[in-house]
Amino acid sequence: MSNSVLAKVSLGCWIVWITLVAAVAELSIDILLFYGTKPLIMGSMLAYVLFAQPEHLPQRGWLLTAMLLALLGDVCLMIREIDLFLASTATFILMQGCYIVMFVRDV
């Protein structure tokens, strides 16, 4: 196997592993584990698009913007001390708009 394929496989395994850890953290009482792993899910997928995908990927800018908005929305939902539900909803709506633009331009 080439180094590129191995990098993609290991990054994919990392994303699956961190998702499982975040799911367990959400079910447990360990709030530090939850705050530490929840952003890593979207962050790992963002890293995959940044580093493992070719730069000539069509609509890459829209995809990266949508993923950043998803990460921001997740972080807003994580903060339980203040109500950021409307802020997270707004970021998710903008994220969906980026995905729509990305798919319409690609077709």
Side-chain angles (χ1 to χ4, degrees):
M1 277 194 192
S2 69
N3 287 339
S4 175
V5 172
L6 286 175
K8 289 179 183 180
V9 169
S10 62
L11 188 56
C13 291
W14 165 257
I15 291 169
V16 170
W17 184 83
I18 203 67
T19 302
L20 292 173
V21 171
V24 169
E26 191 155 357
L27 295 174
S28 73
I29 303 172
D30 193 353
I31 197 75
L32 290 177
L33 185 63
F34 173 71
Y35 281 132
T37 56
K38 180 76 171 165
L40 283 179
I41 298 169
M42 203 63 207
S44 297
M45 289 190 284
L46 189 62
Y48 177 77
V49 171
L50 277 173
F51 300 113
Q53 292 293 322
E55 291 184 14
H56 63 277
L57 184 69
Q59 310 302 329
R60 186 170 186 250
W62 287 106
L63 179 60
L64 290 172
T65 304
M67 294 177 86
L68 281 171
L69 287 168
L71 178 62
L72 181 62
D74 282 346
V75 170
C76 286
L77 284 177
M78 282 176 43
I79 301 171
R80 297 178 181 161
E81 289 78 24
I82 47 179
D83 186 15
L84 294 174
F85 180 75
L86 290 178
S88 63
T89 302
T91 60
F92 289 134
I93 289 170
L94 290 172
M95 173 198 69
Q96 292 298 324
C98 289
Y99 284 134
I100 290 169
V101 170
M102 183 181 79
F103 288 121
V104 167
R105 285 189 174 187
D106 200 36
V107 172

